[in-house]
Amino acid sequence: MPQGHRDYRERLVHELRAVPGARVLIEFGSHNSGNSDLFSDVDLQLQVDDCTIALPAFLTIVGEVVNPEVEWTITTDPDHYWLMAIPDGLQPWLKVDIGIDPYRPEQPVDLGWTGDVVWSQVPAAAEFAQLQAPDWPRPVPGTLDHFIVGNLVDLGRLAKFRARQKPLNMLKFVSLLARAVLIVEATRLGRHDDFDDLPSTRLISEIDQSESVHLVDLDLPLIDHIAHLSYQLCNAIEDDQRLRIACERIVNGSLALLQEPLAVIDKELTK
């Protein structure tokens, strides 16, 4: 793990103890399993007595520690808040997936992942001082900008898969990216109802999901096509300049990794 990313993780593990009502911190993913590498992100879940009371302090700590360049909110309701934050200055795949859920020892929250407890404690009783409203781009779920950011973040995932020389269904990814562009265009034309008839939707349904393409076989025309679609999505963000700049950096960082010679990546991974 890069040093900067290691610092984020260690600081979050320590400082989240101060969240009012914080009971348990659980870690998932490669850091928990001991298989982390140069491209691993951070996956944490904080369990609290009351999510509504805990949320302001939770967001304050995430903001101070991670300094997000952009947030992609995964889910939010009175009992759950999950977000994906891309730290300012780091590559887009070095993200922090973190959330708060209610502490229910008799009925543990099932996230579908395997995780382990990092710490447990008697909850902090003191009020959290100096609450700050989040000051980073965070598109509202359900909006067009939220949809765009979600698709562009997946570009970093694509780059990680190629760097790790793992298989991924490339046709599905590119067609999904193309579908995102079509939805943006359709929305601009005032069509908000049904996208099932879009050409790329039909294309996706025809793809055999069992066929995977090794990402080491990516050729430049395909990368150029991905770049073209990704920049179209960036340009679709018109009103939020900070968000548009963040999305462009996500695309640029991911494309740079997609074009990096694998020998260079292998050298970094084995350091």
Side-chain angles (χ1 to χ4, degrees):
M1 189 197 319
Q3 181 61 45
H5 211 43
R6 184 182 297 110
D7 292 342
Y8 290 136
R9 178 192 169 277
E10 292 177 355
R11 284 190 62 194
L12 284 170
V13 166
H14 173 70
E15 296 189 23
L16 286 172
R17 287 180 176 273
V19 172
R23 292 271 191 170
V24 176
L25 184 69
I26 298 176
E27 184 166 41
F28 304 89
S30 56
H31 294 302
N32 176 63
S33 64
N35 297 319
S36 61
D37 62 19
L38 188 67
F39 304 104
S40 297
D41 50 19
V42 173
D43 302 284
L44 296 171
Q45 178 206 29
L46 183 66
Q47 296 184 3
V48 298
D49 287 334
D50 188 312
C51 290
T52 301
I53 294 174
L55 183 59
F58 171 80
L59 291 176
T60 297
I61 291 173
V62 170
E64 291 177 349
V65 173
V66 179
N67 187 25
E69 184 173 21
V70 62
E71 170 190 332
W72 192 76
T73 308
I74 301 170
T75 181
T76 174
D77 63 43
D79 287 329
H80 308 275
Y81 193 104
W82 277 81
L83 64 91
M84 181 215 68
I86 296 179
D88 190 16
L90 289 187
Q91 293 293 0
W93 52 85
L94 293 176
K95 55 188 177 62
V96 176
D97 292 321
I98 189 169
I100 55 174
D101 287 297
Y103 175 66
R104 294 174 182 159
E106 73 286 354
Q107 186 181 1
V109 177
D110 182 10
L111 300 174
W113 311 322
T114 300
D116 289 312
V117 173
V118 180
W119 52 252
S120 60
Q121 65 177 21
V122 175
E127 290 294 324
F128 191 87
Q130 298 180 349
L131 298 183
Q132 306 262 338
D135 183 28
W136 57 80
R138 51 201 306 249
V140 176
T143 63
L144 189 60
D145 283 354
H146 188 264
F147 172 79
I148 290 171
V149 172
N151 279 273
L152 293 179
V153 166
D154 271 347
L155 189 61
R157 176 174 170 268
L158 171 70
K160 284 204 301 187
F161 266 71
R162 181 216 176 237
R164 288 168 167 166
Q165 302 187 43
K166 291 186 176 181
L168 182 70
N169 193 317
M170 271 300 305
L171 291 178
K172 179 185 177 186
F173 176 81
V174 175
S175 59
L176 283 171
L177 203 59
R179 180 174 184 267
V181 172
L182 287 173
I183 289 176
V184 168
E185 295 304 320
T187 304
R188 283 177 167 174
L189 295 174
R191 179 180 169 186
H192 301 278
D193 48 2
D194 188 1
F195 300 108
D196 288 341
D197 291 333
L198 292 177
S200 60
T201 306
R202 293 198 299 271
L203 174 63
I204 294 169
S205 67
E206 297 169 1
I207 294 172
D208 182 0
Q209 298 299 313
S210 65
E211 292 183 2
S212 294
V213 178
H214 285 277
L215 300 190
V216 293
D217 298 330
L218 281 181
D219 56 18
L220 287 179
L222 183 55
I223 294 177
D224 289 342
H225 181 52
I226 292 171
H228 175 68
L229 293 174
S230 300
Y231 286 124
Q232 279 188 268
L233 289 179
C234 288
N235 292 334
I237 299 174
E238 299 176 338
D239 299 328
D240 191 331
Q241 183 178 11
R242 288 196 305 165
L243 181 61
R244 186 170 64 251
I245 291 172
C247 285
E248 289 173 350
R249 200 178 72 81
I250 290 172
V251 172
N252 291 336
S254 301
L255 290 174
L257 182 59
L258 282 175
Q259 299 176 71
E260 188 78 56
L262 286 175
V264 175
I265 297 173
D266 285 340
K267 184 178 179 181
E268 290 295 321
L269 285 172
T270 55
K271 277 185 177 179

